[in-house]
Amino acid sequence: MLSQSEFERMARQFALLHHTAPTWAWFEPGPLSDSGAFAPPPGFLRSSPIVVQPPIAARRQGGEEEDPPVLEEPICSTADSSALDVSALDDQPQPDLLRIHICRSATYQTPQLLLLGCHGSDGRPWDVDEARAYLQRQAKGP
């Protein structure tokens, strides 16, 4: 079992020790405007955006692909990090971005790894099949 204070101490130390790409930072969310009886949200580790090859989504069986939902604002984009230079890629498709978050599960009192993959072309998040395809490709290695 890992307390929130132990997790925060170890996570901050981890962020200080890892200076190579991807870099890590402790993120402390601000208080919610109307948190009422709820505790303020806990902090978490967040990686810098990682440029990745787009996952090959598993094709849905028996029919045409659905149109993806249209978002008013992209969830993530290449503008998420000033250190990320994609200017040389202007005539090519924009790469997908992956951001990793490590937070503490209050229920299980253990660290959780969360992945946020986004399409570079429009900032749409990866769907479950795309995330699964990416993880399977990484597990197989080069």
Side-chain angles (χ1 to χ4, degrees):
M1 295 182 18
L2 183 66
S3 72
Q4 182 62 35
S5 60
E6 290 173 312
F7 171 74
E8 184 173 338
R9 180 184 54 77
M10 288 189 287
R12 287 178 184 270
Q13 185 177 9
F14 178 86
L16 289 173
L17 294 174
H18 289 83
H19 301 289
T20 59
T23 58
W24 291 88
W26 178 257
F27 182 77
E28 192 74 49
L32 299 174
S33 59
D34 186 21
S35 60
F38 296 104
F44 56 90
L45 275 173
R46 179 172 65 184
S47 73
S48 58
I50 304 165
V51 176
V52 296
Q53 292 179 350
I56 301 169
R59 296 282 176 197
R60 291 180 177 85
Q61 297 292 330
E64 294 183 15
E65 295 273 334
E66 296 176 5
D67 287 335
V70 177
L71 301 176
E72 291 180 18
E73 290 183 33
I75 289 182
C76 65
S77 69
T78 55
D80 281 349
S81 173
S82 58
L84 187 62
D85 180 17
V86 293
S87 59
L89 302 173
D90 286 340
D91 2 347
Q92 300 176 10
Q94 293 294 312
D96 282 12
L97 298 177
L98 178 67
R99 189 182 291 266
I100 304 170
H101 294 192
I102 303 174
C103 62
R104 178 184 167 269
S105 165
T107 303
Y108 298 106
Q109 298 182 6
T110 60
Q112 283 183 311
L113 181 66
L114 306 173
L115 304 177
L116 175 60
C118 295
H119 294 279
S121 58
D122 58 9
R124 281 184 306 108
W126 290 349
D127 64 26
V128 172
D129 292 334
E130 291 168 320
R132 184 178 296 118
Y134 174 79
L135 291 172
Q136 288 173 343
R137 186 175 69 212
Q138 294 306 308
K140 290 179 184 174

